Amino acid sequence: MSDSRETGRHAFVVGYPIKHSRSPIIHGYWLKQFGIDGSYRAIEVSEADLPTFIANLRDGTAGYRGGNVTIPHKEQAVRLADKPDALSEELGAANTLWVENGLVYSTNTDGLGFLANLDERRPGWDRCDKAVVLGAGGASRAVIQALRDRSFSEIHVVNRTVERAQELADRFGRKVFAHPMEGLAEVLTGAGLFVNTTSLGMHGSPVPEFPLQRLAPDATVTDLVYIPLVTPFLRQAEKHGFATVDGLGMLLHQAVPGFEKWFGRRPEVTAELRQLVIADMEKQA
């Protein structure tokens, strides 16, 4: 009987630090599911060493077909890629790399992961025109780009430093508006989606009370933070009776395109995989 297992396929995630990455759990699950004789490894690489790492990826000496890039390397990765796609170029950040014909290609799947998570957990969430995004850091870029491309007509970015929010409005076009924190109550009025892209509430740290009662009655509230799974931000929304979506699904769904690119099979995000990652989070808590 012939062995259909595929060999010699290896991918990675690089970051600094990297030891708490759950990506090896996700990709390891899919490798086992498909019976692919490959690997997915977490590699700690400093910012100073990233150009050498990418050069070794390009010429084949690293032995990888590609991999993921996480904090703090996403911006540098898109600059080091030979062929960044339109998504990663506009964002100025890449989270997925692969090699073809001696060239390093890049994309960014964070926005895809964000949308797929909402589509799965809250079908119909996008039947509204107005979204509010809290925060103007690196994580907010992919969210704003994804919402704009999903045809939201108003995307309001609220940030402590309004100048940073304005930079994103300038980057992503006329549908995006910048506001200081003092304007939050006003822009929340009638909004159908509220997204936290800041680190507020991470590890259960306290968050201020937000005027969530101003949202549209059928609004969806989501948080990119997923540790804890139900963040203080989401608990507030639940108290007001709003539908909520946790941030774990974004991590799971953003991994799908990369796996398909490196290993040639398109995986699915399943309840079993989600529980596997949750179990690891609880073990580390």
Side-chain angles (χ1 to χ4, degrees):
M1 182 176 175
S2 64
D3 188 351
S4 62
R5 291 167 68 90
E6 300 172 61
T7 59
R9 294 178 175 235
H10 305 287
F12 60 82
V13 57
V14 289
Y16 193 84
I18 196 64
K19 63 180 178 179
H20 295 304
S21 173
R22 267 105 192 161
S23 292
I25 296 172
I26 298 167
H27 291 279
Y29 172 86
W30 288 331
L31 285 167
K32 185 177 178 181
Q33 186 181 57
F34 287 118
I36 297 172
D37 185 17
S39 69
Y40 182 96
R41 300 161 185 157
I43 305 169
E44 189 165 272
V45 176
S46 70
E47 290 181 79
D49 290 337
L50 189 64
T52 301
F53 182 86
I54 298 296
N56 292 339
L57 173 66
R58 181 184 292 111
D59 67 20
T61 56
Y64 296 106
R65 292 187 172 218
N68 288 124
V69 181
T70 189
I71 296 169
H73 297 328
K74 291 184 179 184
E75 290 81 8
Q76 192 180 6
V78 77
R79 294 193 299 269
L80 292 169
D82 304 300
K83 297 281 188 179
D85 72 353
L87 274 177
S88 56
E89 205 159 43
E90 183 185 32
L91 283 175
N95 76 336
T96 304
L97 306 175
W98 68 97
V99 182
E100 286 182 27
N101 301 318
L103 298 175
V104 176
Y105 288 71
S106 77
T107 190
N108 194 303
T109 65
D110 285 333
L112 180 151
F114 172 75
L115 295 177
N117 183 35
L118 285 165
D119 288 341
E120 178 195 357
R121 314 283 307 176
R122 171 78 167 142
W125 68 273
D126 55 353
R127 293 184 198 132
C128 58
D129 296 321
K130 181 180 179 182
V132 178
V133 177
L134 184 65
S140 67
R141 291 185 181 191
V143 168
I144 295 164
Q145 186 186 56
L147 292 174
R148 181 202 64 191
D149 293 350
R150 185 56 78 95
S151 299
F152 273 72
S153 55
E154 292 180 47
I155 303 159
H156 299 272
V157 184
V158 180
N159 195 58
R160 284 180 302 179
T161 309
V162 73
E163 291 79 11
R164 291 195 70 181
Q166 187 59 51
E167 286 173 15
L168 297 183
D170 294 340
R171 177 184 287 264
F172 294 108
R174 58 184 179 79
K175 295 180 179 180
V176 185
F177 306 91
H179 307 273
M181 286 297 293
E182 298 76 41
L184 181 61
E186 181 182 348
V187 297
L188 279 177
T189 303
L193 179 71
F194 187 25
V195 187
N196 177 38
T197 72
T198 75
S199 59
L200 280 172
M202 188 175 285
H203 303 297
S205 59
V207 301
E209 285 291 324
F210 296 105
L212 301 180
Q213 67 277 6
R214 291 176 173 264
L215 288 164
D218 60 346
T220 303
V221 177
T222 188
D223 198 338
L224 301 198
V225 173
Y226 59 89
I227 300 175
L229 204 56
V230 181
T231 63
F233 184 80
L234 295 182
R235 287 196 193 282
Q236 273 189 44
E238 289 173 350
K239 284 178 186 174
H240 285 279
F242 293 110
T244 62
V245 177
D246 65 62
L248 178 57
M250 179 175 171
L251 174 71
L252 301 175
H253 284 284
Q254 64 80 30
V256 170
F259 187 93
E260 183 178 26
K261 183 68 69 175
W262 312 315
F263 299 112
R265 302 290 294 273
R266 187 166 183 85
E268 289 185 9
V269 173
T270 61
E272 183 182 43
L273 174 59
R274 180 179 164 88
Q275 284 307 125
L276 194 66
V277 176
I278 290 171
D280 181 74
M281 287 161 48
E282 291 172 346
K283 187 172 66 179
Q284 299 295 327

